[in-house]
Amino acid sequence: MTPPGGRDVRRRAAVLGRIRKALDAFYLLQDIDWQFDVRETLDKILELALKELKLEAGSGIERAMIILAARETEFECHAGWFSGGRGLDFSRSVIREVLETGRTLACDDVAADDRFARNQSVRRLELASFVCIPVSFSKDRVGAFFVDTSGAGKRFLDSDREFLEEFVQIITPYLKTALVHRIHLDRLKGAEEAPAEFRGLVGASPAMRRLFEQIRLVAGSSATVLVQGPTGSGKELVARAIHAESARSRRAFVAANCSAIPPALMEAELFGHRKGAFTGATADREGLVAGADGGTLFLDEIADIGLDVQAKLLRFLQEGEFRPIGSDRVSSVDARVVAATHQDLRRRVAAGQFREDLFYRVNVLPIEIPPLAAREGDIPLLVEHFLARFARDERTKARRASPEVLRILAAQEWPGNVRQLEHVLRRAALLAEGSELEGRHLPPEIAGSLPSGGAFGLSLEDVRRARGEAGEKDYVRQALAHARGHASGRIDLLEKAVGLIGDCSTPTLRRRIKKLGIDLAEFVPKRSGKKRGH
């Protein structure tokens, strides 16, 4: 190829301009939602560009390829053109050098260049002259543009290299657009093919896919995680998944339900105490914090910790140190803390109920769990999961749900989220005689055959938090009223009511009935029957 004069420079500038216009026009023709094949797009980019490039270079270019790095040491030809019978094979050692240095590698005469005297791939391909130019997105080198010729007397000159480098600068934005689209499609495909269960969490909805990805990201850190979500959404499952994905997975996972610990005992439960520290402290006792050394400490409902203990928890999060009650020595523990709450901590900070400095300390890596109502398409997966578990653990017979049941369940709002769904399904599975769950097995207020002042399946604790003790009293009375029509006596009444209420036992229900001032005799079914004669 001969060096270009002024006229040739202008002609090459015109060629590059036509290449840019052709690529712009091609992209304008694409559908707005990018429904096109990425490899085909790359081929088209190269075809449009080479149409002008071949006219410019005459018969000098025999092969042209866009080669991208599939992995650190693997390369793939994503688009190419060739004449003759050599196909689209290329020298990987040349590509590797260009990616490592970030500079163009050109050779006008391979036979006379000592650099390639022992390069087997260059010799095998019978290259006479070539130019290899890096393709970079910002600072990332993603591949190379490679052109060569094998004909005698055909050489690439410096002016050819400069022209080809300008050509690569023009096509790079179009390559980036196509490749970003390919990565997006690959991620979508991976999401479609990924299993619907992740560390005990079940779901395939976009909201759950995002949650799974967040868990993977935060698991690699030791920073504190704050898991927020409505009651019954699975905050402890998320905490356990973070622990299982982390480097601490072989050590202890210690869970503390802060709402269930009396305020007077909170400090001792978390940080332990020494013998004689207070009345009843008959021996040294290790706290939950010390038990999580090397592992993960899960503080569920952290908003329920009192302000006095919050100060000591803050010191532990800052320094990794604490002092057991009655001890004059500071203890050190390496435990990753995952906190959870269904409450708005910012509002509690504003109300003076939660320390602001502690809030910022626990809110380092926030994760939000979606409510069940926002998890489109997940209910059939959850139904399958729970029925399989009940069949395994409780020997129930139902293995699947009828289309009618799935339709009914999908129409519910589920204020108690996954926990409420689980309780409803457990009750239905225990009632089912065959292998399929039917609409008649569902509670009437779920199936829609009876009006409901509030869906059953919620735990008493959930109702009490959401509606106070007055709401809990109404809820228990509804359960007793509904159970009355199916019960034969006092004990049977309580058992039937327990079956309606989520996460409840008969002794617990007895205690709450007494605490709430409910007259159980009002709901006990009257015995009927004829008097026996003498």
Side-chain angles (χ1 to χ4, degrees), residues 345-392:
L345 286 184
R346 292 184 185 276
R347 288 187 178 180
R348 292 186 67 84
V349 169
Q353 298 169 327
F354 199 83
R355 293 177 62 108
E356 185 175 18
D357 48 5
L358 179 59
F359 169 73
Y360 291 119
R361 180 62 63 175
V362 300
N363 195 40
V364 178
L365 295 173
I367 287 183
E368 187 77 27
I369 305 179
L372 183 55
R375 295 171 52 179
E376 185 179 354
D378 280 351
I379 283 183
L381 297 172
L382 289 164
V383 170
E384 180 182 357
H385 169 77
F386 285 130
L387 290 182
R389 198 180 79 191
F390 300 152
R392 182 186 67 242

Side-chain angles (χ1 to χ4, degrees), residues 502-517:
D503 198 17
C504 185
S505 65
T506 301
T508 298
L509 182 57
R510 285 183 186 275
R511 287 195 298 271
R512 294 310 299 169
I513 287 172
K514 183 177 180 180
K515 171 73 173 177
L516 297 168

Side-chain angles (χ1 to χ4, degrees), residues 115-420:
R115 292 178 299 170
F116 305 104
R118 296 184 179 181
N119 191 310
Q120 295 181 359
S121 59
V122 170
R123 297 294 181 182
R124 175 175 53 81
L125 294 170
E126 299 178 346
L127 302 182
S129 183
F130 69 84
V131 178
C132 187
I133 303 166
V135 174
S136 301
F137 299 159
S138 299
K139 296 180 180 181
D140 297 326
R141 300 165 196 154
V142 298
F145 176 67
F146 184 89
V147 294
D148 71 41
T149 180
S150 63
K154 298 174 182 177
R155 301 286 183 267
F156 291 110
L157 305 177
D158 287 344
S159 56
D160 299 316
R161 176 182 55 77
E162 293 168 1
F163 172 70
L164 292 170
E165 286 176 338
E166 289 185 64
F167 164 73
V168 169
Q169 289 180 5
I170 289 174
I171 68 170
T172 293
Y174 301 93
L175 290 177
K176 183 176 182 179
T177 301
L179 289 171
V180 166
H181 177 59
R182 186 196 71 177
I183 292 169
H184 177 64
L185 290 181
D186 287 347
R187 286 177 176 171
L188 287 179
K189 182 179 179 183
E192 291 171 358
E193 294 176 351
E197 185 168 349
F198 174 75
R199 298 291 186 181
L201 293 159
V202 177
S205 61
M208 290 303 288
R209 296 293 182 197
R210 288 192 292 272
L211 177 63
F212 296 165
E213 185 62 27
Q214 282 184 304
I215 290 171
R216 292 188 185 98
L217 289 173
V218 304
S221 168
S222 290
T224 305
V225 179
L226 178 61
V227 182
Q228 294 177 289
T231 298
S233 57
K235 294 185 283 293
E236 183 168 344
L237 281 177
V238 169
R240 289 184 179 277
I242 293 170
H243 175 73
E245 286 287 304
S246 74
R248 300 172 179 266
S249 60
R250 294 181 180 274
R251 304 299 293 272
F253 176 89
V254 178
N257 183 356
C258 300
S259 65
I261 302 174
L265 299 179
M266 184 69 72
E267 182 181 356
E269 283 292 314
L270 291 180
F271 301 111
H273 60 75
R274 294 293 174 259
K275 180 180 178 180
F278 50 82
T279 303
T282 58
D284 290 352
R285 185 176 182 275
E286 183 181 75
L288 298 174
V289 170
D293 192 16
T296 301
L297 175 66
F298 175 53
L299 298 176
D300 195 11
E301 298 303 341
I302 190 174
D304 290 337
I305 296 179
L307 289 170
D308 54 339
V309 182
Q310 286 180 29
K312 297 180 180 180
L313 178 60
L314 176 64
R315 174 175 172 79
F316 168 66
L317 291 175
Q318 289 175 330
E319 310 294 340
E321 298 177 347
F322 64 95
R323 192 190 302 272
I325 299 175
S327 175
D328 57 358
R329 299 181 61 181
V330 172
S331 299
S332 297
V333 164
D334 173 27
R336 200 259 181 93
V337 174
V338 178
T341 182
H342 74 286
Q343 301 185 53
D344 188 334
L345 286 184
R346 292 184 185 276
R347 288 187 178 180
R348 292 186 67 84
V349 169
Q353 298 169 327
F354 199 83
R355 293 177 62 108
E356 185 175 18
D357 48 5
L358 179 59
F359 169 73
Y360 291 119
R361 180 62 63 175
V362 300
N363 195 40
V364 178
L365 295 173
I367 287 183
E368 187 77 27
I369 305 179
L372 183 55
R375 295 171 52 179
E376 185 179 354
D378 280 351
I379 283 183
L381 297 172
L382 289 164
V383 170
E384 180 182 357
H385 169 77
F386 285 130
L387 290 182
R389 198 180 79 191
F390 300 152
R392 182 186 67 242
D393 298 343
E394 302 178 32
R395 300 188 180 278
T396 55
K397 295 179 180 179
R399 301 300 180 95
R400 61 183 180 276
S402 69
E404 176 196 13
V405 168
L406 293 177
R407 177 184 59 78
I408 292 171
L409 296 178
Q412 304 300 311
E413 294 184 1
W414 300 113
N417 294 285
V418 179
R419 184 189 298 158
Q420 182 188 4

